[in-house]
Amino acid sequence: MLRLVFLSTILGVCTAQPYTSLTQDQVTAARAKIRELIVTTNSTDGTFKPFIAASVRLAFHDCVGRCDGCINFNNADNAGLQMVVQALNNLHGSDFRQIMSRADFWALAGIVAATIASENRMCRRRPPPGRPPPPNCQVATFPADFKWGRQDCNPTSSQTNASRVFPNGHGDLKHDKEYFSTMFGFTTREAVAIIGAHTLGAASRQQSGWNGRWVGRRDALDNQFYQLLSDISLNWTHPNVARPRDEARYQWNARAPGEQNNRGFMLNTDMALFRNISPNAVGESSCTFLTCGDSETASIVREYAQNNTLWFIEFAAVFQKMISNGYTAAELKDPTPVPAQSLPSSSSTQSMSRTAPPGTRMSPPDGMRSSPPTRMSPPDDMSPSPPITYTSLTHAQVAVARQDIRQLILSRNSTDDTFKPLIASSVRLVFHDCVGKCDGCINFNNSDNAGLQMVVRDLDRLYRRGNYTQVMSRADFWALAGTVAAVIASENRMCRMRRPGPPGMGEPQNDTRPMQPPGMGGPQNGTQQTPPGTNRTGPPNDCQLQTIPLEFMWGRKDCNPSSSRTNASREFPNGHGDLKHVTQYFMSEFGFTTRETVALLGAHTLGAARRGNSGWNGRWVPRRDSLDNEFYLLLSNTNLIWTHPNVAPQNREPRYQWSARQGNQTNQRGFMLNSDMSLFRNITPNDVGRSSCTYYTCGDSETASIVRQFARNNTQWFIEFAAIFQKMLSNGYADGELKYPTEFPTEESSTDAPRTTAKDITGRACSYVHSVTTPLISVLSLVLLYFV
């Protein structure tokens, strides 16, 4: 028997080999399985999903000290986590043990749970199924990237006897600050942000001694915690809720006047964020909610209470920092994209033909990198085909499509390998498609659409060869591509330049220092440009992690299901226009306000104008694949030398633009169209686009103050741009026509068309691992059995 136990231990250790790689496909498979587990597990009364809060809490408890996939259940602070640990361990052991560590799997579960909770918030109330959120809300899923490389404290068991200290719920603000600074290296603001996770879940008297929900709804990730905490209209009491003969458990209960039930409750460590409490040794405060006065972090609480998106983005950044605790930036790595053809042949990876299931990963189109852009010839028959009715779309199908689109965008390089052209062109495509109505069709007889041929060709190939024609409309596929491209561009920002650090790091707030691009002289803000492919070791301390908060909705209809070509006439903005033209255009086409128009035009930070396409020439800003506020920084930089040349060749229509140079340098720093410059300067161009005043004599336009706001605060612009980009992608559709993906296919889904399931995705992701490990484990088992 001892020999068998010994051999079993050896087998367990042997199967827990060091993890040397992890692909995006494998992560997608794991996400789908974890999501399925979380959303199918209900509370006993069926009112909420207990694994949402439990998975987020587990990620925190595991990462105290170091994220290592182990929990000490002899510690009473870990009470209540047994069920989620058992469920996640069963899933990890059966499907993903050979792919990633348990610590990585738990971290991913925390991200998936936070994502589901952020989908649930919908401005603090769930709309009817299939209905969009109220118009004054913006939908954002949890912007945290998954990295792998965490090590398990014990590959064979998640149980540990290691002693870890958790926050004392009776503590004051000093305790909060010292604990999170010592354990995680958090700043005071980061500590205030992370405690907002208490908007999820509840306290149980049987587990911790405290009792109640922090807020009314326990599975929606939003700023309710801060709104409740700062609500002085409520009646706050400070009872001891401990059972007789138990240690004291003082908490803060909130009730609305005249109500009998609590609106929510707070621990001392929560209340200390807003009120200057000084509890005694057993946790009783010497002052009341009304008499304690503000704590030093009360202003942060009010900020978060007033601006959900601000808290949401800052929480995501500190959550990402939390689940990296105990590891250097070099130790945690991004999953890598692996083309399907690189996997060994097996029953699950052979012959990915056009008859493969919808969402099957296809290799990039042949010649993707070397093929020159060609003008698409019109089809022989452009008459509309009968429309295809799509009745269902699942999160798993969208996840696979996202990964395929991401792989396509990242695999295509410019001829000089300096940027990814499909980033800017995918964002431009969705704008051009959504003028009038998002319908998956482009008129290439209109010169305003010049330069979009390549991205249309590549996306249409992927759409057909990946069998997405059976899953979603082309218009939906293009909208998703625009969303994916914007996400990649937001990951590329790196504080307005590529600095050493992981993808997705934002820039310092209220930083107006001009950034000098490489080769143009001037300071580099203390950093050097990182060459493409260089390993990045960590973000600057003054940056925050965030990807663009966009939610995908489906239901757009193609103008012609059989072709993306149309002869429909659509009007686009006139680059020679003034502010009146710009604001009237976007109001008429999209219903945008003036501020929304200013926010959307910041997309010109991506891409460039080509004389061969539009007649104008140059990059708006030096780096063309990074989504940040550099457009506004350049536009409002009065230290540059601005000229107003006509860049059109002789005997061509004039193309007046605004060119910016630094000092006596000859290279152009960037350029602006009249429609851009009118956002900052009060220009009045004539019929051919020539301004009667210079950059320095025109004076401010009525929107100059908005430009300066966005230049000073990238996060403010980033949030507003995401909201207006989402609005643009819904153009032409009424409330209720666009729907959110579902967990599983709906009952009315067509049974004729095959659907991508979590099992399909998992099979694709795990086939390579199984093909390698199964023979090895079989041989090892035979050898060990011989000694038994």
Side-chain angles (χ1 to χ4, degrees), residues 722-745:
I724 196 61
F725 191 80
Q726 191 98 35
K727 184 175 178 179
M728 181 188 78
L729 294 179
S730 306
N731 195 38
Y733 296 90
D735 288 351
E737 288 188 280
L738 299 186
K739 301 171 283 292
Y740 294 100
T742 56
E743 301 300 333
F744 307 103

Side-chain angles (χ1 to χ4, degrees), residues 302-417:
R302 291 190 179 97
E303 277 187 71
Y304 292 156
Q306 294 164 3
N307 190 331
N308 180 76
T309 306
L310 173 66
W311 169 74
F312 186 65
I313 290 178
E314 294 189 19
F315 173 78
V318 72
F319 188 87
Q320 187 104 32
K321 187 174 178 179
M322 180 190 78
I323 60 175
S324 305
N325 195 36
Y327 299 88
T328 65
E331 289 179 295
L332 298 185
K333 300 170 282 292
D334 292 305
T336 55
V338 176
Q341 66 269 24
S342 68
L343 299 178
S345 292
S346 71
S347 60
S348 59
T349 58
Q350 289 177 344
S351 183
M352 293 190 179
S353 66
R354 293 191 184 187
T355 59
T360 299
R361 185 169 300 282
M362 302 298 297
S363 58
D366 296 335
M368 175 179 291
R369 180 174 172 180
S370 58
S371 299
T374 56
R375 185 169 295 275
M376 299 172 65
S377 58
D380 295 334
D381 180 13
M382 289 181 59
S383 59
S385 299
I388 300 175
T389 301
Y390 300 96
T391 58
S392 176
L393 186 67
T394 68
H395 283 294
Q397 291 169 328
V398 173
V400 174
R402 282 183 187 273
Q403 290 300 99
D404 281 344
I405 293 169
R406 174 181 278 268
Q407 181 178 344
L408 170 65
I409 292 174
L410 294 179
S411 64
R412 185 162 193 115
N413 293 299
S414 59
T415 53
D416 59 1
D417 280 337

Side-chain angles (χ1 to χ4, degrees), residues 261-276:
N261 296 325
N262 289 339
R263 285 284 184 90
F265 94 100
M266 297 286 160
L267 303 173
N268 280 348
T269 46
D270 303 318
M271 185 57 68
L273 304 179
F274 188 65
R275 288 307 195 204
N276 187 26

Side-chain angles (χ1 to χ4, degrees), residues 208-240:
S208 65
W210 287 285
N211 193 58
R213 303 180 187 180
W214 275 271
V215 298
R217 185 175 177 192
R218 60 173 69 182
D219 60 358
L221 188 64
D222 64 5
N223 63 344
Q224 278 190 87
F225 172 84
Y226 304 98
Q227 291 181 338
L228 185 75
L229 180 58
S230 60
D231 192 342
I232 60 176
S233 70
L234 298 175
N235 294 329
W236 286 92
T237 58
H238 186 49
N240 176 11

Side-chain angles (χ1 to χ4, degrees), residues 87 172 461 635 733 771:
D172 56 10
R461 282 181 178 176
L635 181 58
Y733 296 90
S771 67

Side-chain angles (χ1 to χ4, degrees), residues 24 72 128 139 168 200 295 332 343 351 371 463 471 485 523 598 645 686 741:
Q24 290 174 351
N72 181 357
V139 181
N168 180 358
L200 299 175
S295 72
L332 298 185
L343 299 178
S351 183
S371 299
Y463 180 64
V471 177
V598 178
N686 60 20

Side-chain angles (χ1 to χ4, degrees), residues 7 20 23 95 312 406 443 493 542 672 688 713 725:
L7 292 174
T20 58
T23 69
D95 291 356
F312 186 65
R406 174 181 278 268
N443 182 357
R493 293 187 279 111
D542 57 355
M672 297 285 162
V688 296
N713 193 328
F725 191 80

Side-chain angles (χ1 to χ4, degrees), residues 14-15 17 97-99 766-781:
C14 288
T15 56
Q17 297 294 327
R97 185 178 182 182
Q98 304 297 333
I99 296 174
C766 299
S767 59
Y768 174 66
V769 175
H770 289 168
S771 67
V772 173
T773 58
T774 300
L776 179 62
I777 295 174
S778 298
V779 171
L780 182 59
S781 300

